[in-house]
Every structure is written in structure tokens, then in C-alpha cells.
């Protein structure tokens, strides 16, 4: 990593590939960007608050030594809910988090049944408890699944997916006969599973992911000038970089540089 404090840079961090859904929006716009896959801490969803904060704090300190950070995007609902406020106090650059967009779900639902998918920490957080107090006329079905996170990761990294596992997860919800018409994807990984989830429900489902909630916030940090930019992909744990995943991050997402960083 060459020292370069002249060019401002956007950082996107997640424990896995969930943030790549957001990176698709940024990659063709003119801004230097680093995507950090903290796979040594994967998944954040079953870790405690202090662990998540310490991981992200150490990673950002490392990047900050080499680059002038213009914007940090925490592309993980769990990490955003647990530690964004303390991170904002520690750093003087703009920090944006990803959160379940309950307000949008309230506007879109017709039958008042909303399924909130997330990690254990996310759906049991104080953040959502406060939101739910205002939603008494809506039926918010909260459901967490680490299996869904793992299946999303396998789909992108290994080009494998267990559709039967995914179907079994949602069969438990369907059997309750309270079928939602709106699903909040409260984990960034779940955006990659929309097609699979849609096939399971026998009715039209409106999906709400984190991207719609932060698109306007990040737009002003993206330059429209025709300037040469670089895209970096860093990961924190050595893993088998198979050909499928390498081609995806190199060709589909156009990363110029792929490297393991030591935390």
C-alpha cells in the first residue's frame, strides 16, 4: 500500500461481501475507493459489541496512516447499530452506517405484515426496540438467520448455494400463515439473495435493502470529474481465492489491487 495522502478516498467495510452491493454504485463513479472484507472477523452478526468496535477501529487506524479518508461507509447493519456513534467520536471524517429502513417498509406495505430479516444482534438491538414502539399498527415479524449470511457469502465467493436450506428457513415463517408483503433485508448480505427469497413466497414481495437509505447521503462525496481512480480490495484473513471469486472482484467490480492486510 503506497502512501498517498493527496487523493481523498472512500472506505467501505464489512465482515464479508455484503458491501459489494453498494460498491456497484460507487465503482463507476470517479472516486478512489477501498473495500475492506474483514473475513477474519466474519460474521459480525454473532460477535459482541466490543469485539466489532475494536476490529473496525484497528482497521481504520491502519488505513488512516496511508490515506486521507473522505468517507467511511459501514456496510453492515450489525456494526452500524453497535458502534457507529463511538466511531464518529473517534474520527473527524464523515461516517455513514447502514440500518434497516423500517419507515420505508411502513409506507410500502399493504397488509401491514412486515418481515425484518437480520442478525441476532440487529433484531434485538435497542435501535429496533425504539423503532418498534412507533409501529403498533404494523406487525413486524423479526427473524434472524446466520445461515442466510453464510449462503449469501457462498453464492458470491464460491458460486455455490443451498436452495433447500434457504427454503427451510422461510417455510417456518410461511407455516405461521401470517405472510408478509414487505421484507426488510436487515443485513447487507441478504441483498444477494433476493431472487432466491422471492421464489419461495407465492405472492408479490416488496424488498427493502440498505442501499436506498444511504444513496443520497453518499452522492455528494462522489466526484463527477473525469479523473483516473483506483479501487482496492483488502481482506484480513488468508483464504482460498478461487477463480470464480477472483474473476468477480477483478472483472465484475473492477478492483485494481487485491491484497491481504494484517490487523
Amino acid at each position: 500500500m503506497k502512501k498517498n495522502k493527496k487523493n481523498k478516498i472512500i472506505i467501505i467495510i464489512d465482515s464479508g461481501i455484503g458491501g459489494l452491493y453498494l460498491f456497484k454504485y460507487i465503482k463507476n463513479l470517479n472516486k478512489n475507493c477501498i473495500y475492506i472484507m474483514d473475513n477474519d472477523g466474519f460474521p459480525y452478526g454473532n460477535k459482541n459489541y466490543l469485539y466489532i468496535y475494536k476490529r473496525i477501529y484497528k482497521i481504520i487506524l491502519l488505513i488512516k496512516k496511508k490515506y486521507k479518508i473522505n468517507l467511511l461507509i459501514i456496510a453492515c447493519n450489525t456494526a452500524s447499530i453497535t458502534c457507529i456513534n463511538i466511531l464518529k467520536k473517534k474520527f473527524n471524517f464523515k461516517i455513514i452506517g447502514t440500518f434497516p429502513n423500517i419507515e420505508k417498509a411502513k409506507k410500502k406495505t399493504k397488509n401491514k405484515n412486515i418481515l425484518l430479516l437480520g442478525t441476532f444482534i440487529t433484531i434485538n438491538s435497542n435501535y429496533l426496540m425504539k423503532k418498534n414502539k412507533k409501529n403498533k399498527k404494523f406487525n413486524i415479524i423479526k427473524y434472524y438467520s446466520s445461515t442466510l449470511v453464510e449462503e449469501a457469502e457462498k453464492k458470491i465467493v464460491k458460486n455455490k448455494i443451498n436452495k433447500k436450506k434457504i427454503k427451510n428457513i422461510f417455510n417456518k415463517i410461511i407455516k405461521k400463515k401470517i405472510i408478509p408483503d414487505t421484507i426488510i433485508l436487515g443485513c447487507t448480505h441478504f441483498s444477494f439473495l433476493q431472487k432466491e427469497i422471492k421464489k419461495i413466497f407465492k405472492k408479490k414481495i416488496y424488498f427493502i435493502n440498505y442501499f436506498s437509505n444511504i444513496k443520497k447521503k453518499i452522492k455528494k462525496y462522489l466526484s463527477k470529474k473525469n479523473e483516473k481512480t483506483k479501487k482496492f480490495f483488502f481482506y484480513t484473513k488468508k483464504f482460498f481465492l478461487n477463480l470464480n471469486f477472483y474473476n468477480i472482484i477483478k472483472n465484475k467490480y473492477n478492483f485494481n489491487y487485491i491484497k491481504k492486510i494484517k490487523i
Side-chain angles (χ1 to χ4, degrees), residues 155-170:
K155 181 180 179 180
I156 300 301
V157 177
K158 299 181 179 179
N159 197 25
K160 293 180 180 179
I161 191 165
N162 191 323
K163 293 181 180 179
K164 188 176 180 180
K165 270 188 180 181
I166 296 173
K167 188 175 181 180
N168 287 338
I169 289 169
F170 290 97

Side-chain angles (χ1 to χ4, degrees), residues 53 57 64 85-93 95:
Y53 163 69
Y57 182 69
K64 193 170 178 285
N85 289 332
I86 190 168
L87 287 170
K88 284 181 176 179
K89 292 177 182 178
K90 293 288 183 179
F91 299 108
N92 60 4
F93 45 78
I95 302 176

Side-chain angles (χ1 to χ4, degrees), residues 33-248:
C33 184
I34 293 176
Y35 185 93
I36 301 168
M37 182 178 78
D38 182 22
N39 57 330
D40 195 29
F42 176 85
Y44 285 157
N46 62 9
K47 305 298 192 303
N48 63 55
Y49 288 37
L50 187 59
Y51 176 89
I52 298 169
Y53 163 69
K54 284 183 175 180
R55 292 291 307 175
I56 295 178
Y57 182 69
K58 286 181 181 179
I59 290 170
I60 299 309
L61 281 183
L62 177 66
I63 301 299
K64 193 170 178 285
K65 289 178 182 178
K66 301 292 182 181
Y67 290 92
K68 183 175 179 61
I69 300 173
N70 186 34
L71 173 66
L72 167 63
I73 303 172
I74 304 174
C76 171
N77 288 263
T78 300
S80 298
I81 285 171
T82 57
C83 62
I84 192 170
N85 289 332
I86 190 168
L87 287 170
K88 284 181 176 179
K89 292 177 182 178
K90 293 288 183 179
F91 299 108
N92 60 4
F93 45 78
K94 181 71 175 178
I95 302 176
I96 295 174
T98 54
F99 300 89
N101 198 340
I102 294 176
E103 295 306 312
K104 186 173 181 179
K106 287 165 57 180
K107 294 175 183 178
K108 292 293 182 180
T109 182
K110 297 291 191 298
N111 68 3
K112 309 299 181 185
N113 293 323
I114 300 169
L115 175 60
L116 171 58
L117 292 173
T119 64
F120 179 82
I121 289 178
T122 296
I123 69 168
N124 291 289
S125 64
N126 289 331
Y127 170 83
L128 285 183
M129 285 179 69
K130 291 176 183 178
K131 290 284 183 181
N132 279 340
K133 287 180 181 179
K134 301 176 183 179
N135 288 312
K136 291 182 179 179
K137 65 178 181 178
F138 296 92
N139 179 31
I140 309 290
I141 307 162
K142 297 192 295 182
Y143 198 85
Y144 74 90
S145 174
S146 58
T147 301
L148 278 180
V149 178
E150 292 166 2
E151 287 303 315
E153 197 81 4
K154 288 177 184 176
K155 181 180 179 180
I156 300 301
V157 177
K158 299 181 179 179
N159 197 25
K160 293 180 180 179
I161 191 165
N162 191 323
K163 293 181 180 179
K164 188 176 180 180
K165 270 188 180 181
I166 296 173
K167 188 175 181 180
N168 287 338
I169 289 169
F170 290 97
N171 278 342
K172 295 175 184 178
I173 297 168
I174 293 170
K175 284 179 181 178
K176 293 180 180 180
K177 297 182 180 180
I178 303 174
I179 308 299
D181 66 350
T182 305
I183 297 179
I184 303 172
L185 301 173
C187 171
T188 54
H189 281 76
F190 298 164
S191 297
F192 290 101
L193 297 175
Q194 285 184 208
K195 289 181 180 179
E196 287 78 9
I197 296 171
K198 189 176 181 180
K199 288 180 181 179
I200 294 168
F201 290 90
K202 295 179 180 180
K203 61 182 292 184
K204 187 177 180 180
I205 299 290
Y206 189 90
F207 289 98
I208 296 174
N209 62 42
Y210 69 96
F211 180 57
S212 61
N213 205 25
I214 66 170
K215 187 175 179 179
K216 290 181 181 178
K217 292 181 181 179
I218 66 175
K219 192 174 182 180
K220 63 181 180 180
Y221 291 92
L222 302 175
S223 171
K224 291 183 180 179
K225 295 179 182 178
N226 186 22
E227 53 190 37
K228 190 176 181 180
T229 59
K230 291 185 178 180
K231 307 292 186 291
F232 303 91
F233 183 93
F234 295 147
Y235 54 97
T236 57
K237 181 182 180 180
K238 188 175 181 179
F239 69 108
F240 178 60
L241 192 62
N242 65 51
L243 185 59
N244 174 69
F245 189 47
Y246 181 83
N247 286 336
I248 286 173

